[in-house]
Amino acid sequence: MANEFVIRRGLISLGGVRTPLTTVNDTDYSISAATDYYVEVTASSAQRTATLPTPAEGQTFVIKNKYSSTQKVVVATVGSETLDGQDTVTLSPG
């Protein structure tokens, strides 16, 4: 296919760059530093937890609570690591 740059497990953008996308459907999930970047979590039946890997310099993750119910997604750290001083961050729907 002309004008496409293809990366495994990502979004296709004609003439653009693909971003690795992981979709998590109604379950807890441990984010992988090796394969994940953009993680969409569906929390339709209960609150769900997305656990970050051990941090490394230069790593970035985008995590979204994709479902439009009242359930929340909690982003948790491992060990003594924190997110802006917090052990967890709660994402409201959307």
Side-chain angles (χ1 to χ4, degrees):
M1 293 187 242
N3 298 326
E4 288 187 77
F5 177 71
V6 179
I7 299 172
R8 191 170 72 91
R9 296 183 66 189
L11 301 169
I12 295 176
S13 174
L14 245 189
V17 177
R18 292 178 54 193
T19 303
L21 168 67
T22 302
T23 302
V24 180
N25 292 312
D26 226 10
T27 188
D28 294 335
Y29 185 71
S30 292
I31 296 169
S32 168
T35 59
D36 293 333
Y37 170 72
Y38 190 99
V39 180
E40 291 182 338
V41 181
T42 299
S44 60
S45 64
Q47 178 173 293
R48 299 298 175 192
T49 301
T51 304
L52 293 169
T54 302
E57 187 174 334
Q59 280 185 325
T60 302
F61 299 101
V62 177
I63 304 161
K64 180 175 181 170
N65 181 352
K66 187 176 178 189
Y67 204 72
S68 59
S69 74
T70 59
Q71 302 301 334
K72 295 185 175 16
V73 172
V74 175
V75 179
T77 60
V78 292
S80 61
E81 303 298 331
T82 62
L83 296 164
D84 291 332
Q86 304 297 314
D87 293 330
T88 63
V89 172
T90 303
L91 305 176
S92 296

